[in-house]
Each structure stands twice: as structure tokens, then as C-alpha cells.
Amino acid sequence: RMLVKDIISEPLETHLKLGKAETKERVSELLELVGLSRDAMWRYPHEFSGGQKQRIGIARALATNPKFVVLDEPTSFLDVSVQAHILNLIKELQTKLDLTYLFISHNLGVIQHISDGIAVMYLGKIVETGLVDQIFNEPLHPYTQALLGAIPVPDPDVKMGEVILEGTIPSPENPPPGCRFNTRCSSATSVCKEKEPQLVEVGGGHTVACHLVYETA
């Protein structure tokens, strides 16, 4: 129900206390920065495509000149071609504006494309961290291995990963004792069910929280 001009200018008026002329000029700059025309400010959200709406959202997020931006599933509702354009825009803005991103996604292909470092979470706990190559080439936690094994490959002759998760996901409000993944891990031992593993570095900044890894290290 708001014009794009008002959507983007809201954080400017709230946090920077800019005048009307300054606000309008800043909105114009932001629209051009994300690849939209200045005339877009006089239109309503329903007049835009999904990709264009996401550009408007990015413009609004950048309105107050942040250095750290949280992106929570920013491409989840976009088709693949539009997704690629938005990802390229995000990377371009990161370089141009010297931004740091916390990029949250279930799409591992996107994570691999956009990220420098990765933290894998299960039931609210970080179970493994590392650089992109470490996580994708040397996954250590069983949950990370299962995630990577589930990535679809567009080739019927390529064999998928063999780590198959069974059972149901426990309630985050009442997680199981020990390792939170033990109810779905086929390799879990008694210690996994009794003692919660801590993140331990295994080399080169690569960390993992898994008793099985500790035993073989």
C-alpha cells in the first residue's frame, strides 16, 4: 500500500533525519544502485516482478549506509535465472560498498557461490565451520556430509551421496541430550547420546563439533 519512494525512505527518515529533498535524492541514488530507474519510486510493489521487488528490498537495506548486512534466504522465492541476477548484484554491491554479509540459506549451491566462510547449523547449534573449499571438499560432521550428499546433480549417471538421514527432527525447544544430531546419526555412540560435543579446530581454521571426529583425529 506504500509507494516505493516511501518504502525506501522510511529508514532514512527514522535514522538519518534527512529533509524531503535529500531523502528523494537518496532514494533515486539507491534505485539506480540496484539497477532500477528513478521513476520506480512512484510505483507500488504489485507493479513489479519478484526480482524487481527484491532489488527494492536491497535498496531499502542499504539506505542507511550499513557495513554489515544480514540476508535471510534472499533468493528462495526467485526462479533460477532471476536468482543469478540478484546474486550477481549482491556480490557487485559487496565489492563496491565494502560490505560484510551474513548470508542465511538452505540452498547450498548459492552458499558455495556467494560465501567465503560457512557455518553449518543443526537445531540452533553450529556443528561445523570452515572456508568454502573446506566444507565442500572435506566435510567432517555427519550432518554436513548428509547435506552435501543431498545436493541434486543434473546428470542421471552421477551417483548421489550415500548418507541418508532417518528419523524425525527433534523439537528445538526440547533437544535430546548429548549431540543434538545423535537421534538421526547412524554412527552415533553412547558418548554422543550423553555428552554435548564442543567446536574444536582440526586445522586451518576448520572446526567441527563431533565426538566421532575427535576419536579419529
Side-chain angles (χ1 to χ4, degrees):
R1 295 176 181 274
M2 295 171 67
L3 289 170
V4 168
K5 171 184 70 70
D6 299 320
I7 292 171
I8 298 177
S9 65
E10 199 169 38
L12 294 171
E13 294 168 351
T14 302
H15 299 291
L16 302 185
K17 309 298 183 184
L18 298 182
K20 288 187 177 181
E22 291 177 295
T23 297
K24 182 179 177 181
E25 183 58 31
R26 177 61 176 156
V27 170
S28 296
E29 292 173 357
L30 288 164
L31 287 170
E32 291 186 341
L33 183 65
V34 298
L36 295 173
S37 70
R38 290 178 174 237
D39 293 340
M41 73 169 71
W42 303 109
R43 295 161 62 189
Y44 289 93
H46 72 268
E47 300 178 69
F48 295 91
S49 67
Q52 289 172 324
K53 288 178 182 177
Q54 198 67 322
R55 290 174 187 269
I56 293 168
I58 292 170
R60 190 177 196 268
L62 297 178
T64 55
N65 297 311
K67 289 299 179 184
F68 181 81
V69 181
V70 179
L71 302 97
D72 191 355
E73 298 283 8
T75 60
S76 61
F77 63 92
L78 303 174
D79 64 46
V80 176
S81 60
V82 176
Q83 185 180 96
H85 288 297
I86 295 299
L87 288 174
N88 289 335
L89 172 64
I90 288 171
K91 295 195 71 172
E92 178 186 323
L93 292 172
Q94 183 180 34
T95 301
K96 183 182 294 185
L97 304 178
D98 193 25
L99 297 171
T100 298
Y101 291 150
L102 172 60
F103 194 100
I104 304 166
S105 179
H106 289 83
N107 188 326
L108 294 174
V110 170
I111 291 290
Q112 186 176 26
H113 176 71
I114 201 78
S115 304
D116 297 311
I118 297 175
V120 180
M121 296 186 72
Y122 182 79
L123 281 188
K125 284 282 187 177
I126 293 177
V127 297
E128 186 166 2
T129 71
L131 300 175
V132 170
D133 288 344
Q134 291 173 330
I135 297 297
F136 276 83
N137 297 332
E138 302 175 62
L140 298 176
H141 197 280
Y143 180 59
T144 307
Q145 294 168 358
L147 286 176
L148 296 177
I151 298 176
V153 179
D155 186 340
D157 296 324
V158 174
K159 187 178 182 181
M160 298 289 287
E162 296 183 356
V163 180
I164 305 299
L165 296 184
E166 298 180 351
T168 58
I169 302 175
S171 168
E173 296 181 351
N174 186 29
C179 174
R180 297 189 177 198
F181 188 61
N182 80 74
T183 59
R184 306 185 72 197
C185 180
S186 60
S187 302
T189 64
S190 58
V191 69
C192 300
K193 301 175 182 179
E194 299 168 0
K195 184 178 179 181
E196 183 175 357
Q198 303 300 310
L199 275 174
V200 174
E201 182 171 347
V202 293
H206 192 172
T207 69
V208 64
C210 179
H211 294 298
L212 303 173
V213 175
Y214 306 158
E215 293 174 1
T216 57

